[in-house]
Amino acid sequence: MRIAPTFNVAYRALRRNKMRSVLTALGIIIGVGAVIAMVGIGNGAKAQVEAQIASLGENVILIFSGSTTSSGIRTGWGGAGTLKIEDAEAIRREVPGVIGVSEEVVSTTQVAAGNQNWFTRIFGESADYFDIRQWPLADGVPFTPQDVRSANKVCVIGHTTATQIYGNENPIGQILRIKNVPFTITGVLTPKGLSPQGVDQDDIVVMPYTSAMKRVIGGTTLRNINVQIGDPAQIPAAQQQIISLLRQRHNIRPGRDDDFTVRTQQEIAETATATSRIMTVLLGAIAGVSLLVGGIGIMNIMLVSVTERTREIGIRLAVGARGRDVLRQFLTEAVLLSVVGGALGIGTGFWLAPLLTKFAGFPTLISNASVVMAFTVSAIIGIVFGFFPALKAARLDPIDALRYE
């Protein structure tokens, strides 16, 4: 039997029971649409995290103080003050490929201006910080290396802090009191939104790390060191060189644990997106169950169709049709149901994803891979679940089929 007549007969057979065919295809439509929408949610969450990681800058290596064992107690990142200003200077001086280094100290405190006050995060950084983070200013200018060397009382504030303290007033040149120390605001950062940890990155005051250590936070140790590498291909080598240099400077003997942690931006991104990948797989698998149910529905309807058309099958076999012709006929009907359902399901998925974003607030990103996968699976389901009813029809005995009432 040729392909065109086979599809023509299959189409007529499905048209004879329009409502049944529509309800059968509905299972595939819902399944494919659900897979595309659910995978889109997972991809959207992953893309959002990746965008937040990208806000850290490009080609960045982060060195965290801590991860040391003392008296049998292992501390985490930032749990022990083990990084010195001299460590950052040594990295800047001795590690090839480094184009920026920012010594970092962090604290939270109350800031005030006039009759307004706000509890925010204080970041002490070097002048390279804004280039490392690729964080331009919306207004004003950043502090300079001279401000860092002189521990000048200057700062740059985030958009949230500026709004909470000054409202619609221009904060440039205004005095911001931090622990009763007057700091002059030289610039306002462009908004960045939430960090990968869900923290408002715009709720921040950035000042020279020397000013933070001498006038606000105190102490002589750093919490982090941010390092930017010029060539991304040099990042793995630079990471190992930084580890070797710090172990040497901290007199850590072979076999002993590091008292610091070095992570590349890629490692942080992989860790942050691992949850999103797992969520994508789980959502896709849950939605895939509805595809399986749709396949079972196709098998059920095709078995009913074989029973109803037993005499028709017997007549075809009696006038010369072969078993494989009958097999192909019923298999074509099943595949046609699943393919049409898959195509309509794709449209449903594209319609459903924006609705989820609009009404539920879920970020969605539909990928071509998820569309191809869902459509392919729906076609395979038609073949797999339609094969048994088609095989049953092909194996009918013509005489018994003609006698069937």
Side-chain angles (χ1 to χ4, degrees), residues 12 17 41 64 76 150 211 238 340:
R12 290 203 308 268
N17 296 283
I41 290 174
F64 301 92
S150 303
S211 305
V340 171

mmCIF file of all heavy atoms in Angstrom, residues 12 17 41 64 76 150 211 238 340:
data_model
loop_
_atom_site.group_PDB
_atom_site.id
_atom_site.type_symbol
_atom_site.label_atom_id
_atom_site.label_comp_id
_atom_site.label_asym_id
_atom_site.label_seq_id
_atom_site.Cartn_x
_atom_site.Cartn_y
_atom_site.Cartn_z
ATOM 1 N N ARG A 12 -9.700 9.519 6.888
ATOM 2 C CA ARG A 12 -11.148 9.275 6.823
ATOM 3 C C ARG A 12 -11.617 8.465 8.021
ATOM 4 O O ARG A 12 -12.712 8.714 8.551
ATOM 5 C CB ARG A 12 -11.501 8.544 5.523
ATOM 6 C CG ARG A 12 -11.359 9.409 4.269
ATOM 7 C CD ARG A 12 -12.227 8.865 3.129
ATOM 8 N NE ARG A 12 -11.983 7.449 2.897
ATOM 9 C CZ ARG A 12 -11.088 6.975 2.034
ATOM 10 N NH1 ARG A 12 -10.333 7.829 1.324
ATOM 11 N NH2 ARG A 12 -10.929 5.682 1.852
ATOM 12 N N ASN A 17 -15.102 9.392 13.562
ATOM 13 C CA ASN A 17 -15.363 9.536 15.007
ATOM 14 C C ASN A 17 -14.607 10.788 15.493
ATOM 15 O O ASN A 17 -13.582 10.700 16.177
ATOM 16 C CB ASN A 17 -14.905 8.306 15.780
ATOM 17 C CG ASN A 17 -15.668 7.063 15.408
ATOM 18 O OD1 ASN A 17 -16.802 6.866 15.833
ATOM 19 N ND2 ASN A 17 -15.054 6.209 14.599
ATOM 20 N N ILE A 41 10.010 26.710 32.307
ATOM 21 C CA ILE A 41 10.169 27.277 33.650
ATOM 22 C C ILE A 41 11.561 26.977 34.188
ATOM 23 O O ILE A 41 12.257 27.852 34.722
ATOM 24 C CB ILE A 41 9.095 26.734 34.605
ATOM 25 C CG1 ILE A 41 7.720 27.295 34.226
ATOM 26 C CG2 ILE A 41 9.417 27.081 36.047
ATOM 27 C CD1 ILE A 41 6.581 26.708 35.032
ATOM 28 N N PHE A 64 38.195 33.332 49.114
ATOM 29 C CA PHE A 64 37.454 33.517 50.351
ATOM 30 C C PHE A 64 38.357 33.219 51.538
ATOM 31 O O PHE A 64 39.084 32.220 51.545
ATOM 32 C CB PHE A 64 36.228 32.600 50.403
ATOM 33 C CG PHE A 64 35.267 32.811 49.272
ATOM 34 C CD1 PHE A 64 35.367 32.063 48.113
ATOM 35 C CD2 PHE A 64 34.263 33.758 49.363
ATOM 36 C CE1 PHE A 64 34.484 32.244 47.066
ATOM 37 C CE2 PHE A 64 33.376 33.947 48.317
ATOM 38 C CZ PHE A 64 33.488 33.199 47.176
ATOM 39 N N GLY A 76 33.819 27.762 57.693
ATOM 40 C CA GLY A 76 33.451 27.940 56.290
ATOM 41 C C GLY A 76 34.034 29.215 55.721
ATOM 42 O O GLY A 76 34.893 29.864 56.333
ATOM 43 N N SER A 150 45.026 56.889 50.629
ATOM 44 C CA SER A 150 44.899 57.893 51.695
ATOM 45 C C SER A 150 43.754 57.599 52.659
ATOM 46 O O SER A 150 43.552 58.360 53.624
ATOM 47 C CB SER A 150 44.681 59.277 51.075
ATOM 48 O OG SER A 150 45.730 59.623 50.195
ATOM 49 N N SER A 211 39.629 52.800 54.068
ATOM 50 C CA SER A 211 38.711 53.637 54.857
ATOM 51 C C SER A 211 37.800 52.768 55.707
ATOM 52 O O SER A 211 37.532 53.078 56.882
ATOM 53 C CB SER A 211 37.875 54.526 53.928
ATOM 54 O OG SER A 211 38.686 55.303 53.083
ATOM 55 N N ALA A 238 45.943 30.316 36.509
ATOM 56 C CA ALA A 238 46.006 31.378 37.515
ATOM 57 C C ALA A 238 45.436 30.898 38.846
ATOM 58 O O ALA A 238 45.967 31.242 39.919
ATOM 59 C CB ALA A 238 45.241 32.599 37.014
ATOM 60 N N VAL A 340 -0.402 15.033 15.132
ATOM 61 C CA VAL A 340 -1.282 16.200 15.148
ATOM 62 C C VAL A 340 -1.411 16.743 16.569
ATOM 63 O O VAL A 340 -1.349 17.959 16.808
ATOM 64 C CB VAL A 340 -2.668 15.846 14.569
ATOM 65 C CG1 VAL A 340 -3.645 17.002 14.783
ATOM 66 C CG2 VAL A 340 -2.553 15.522 13.088
#
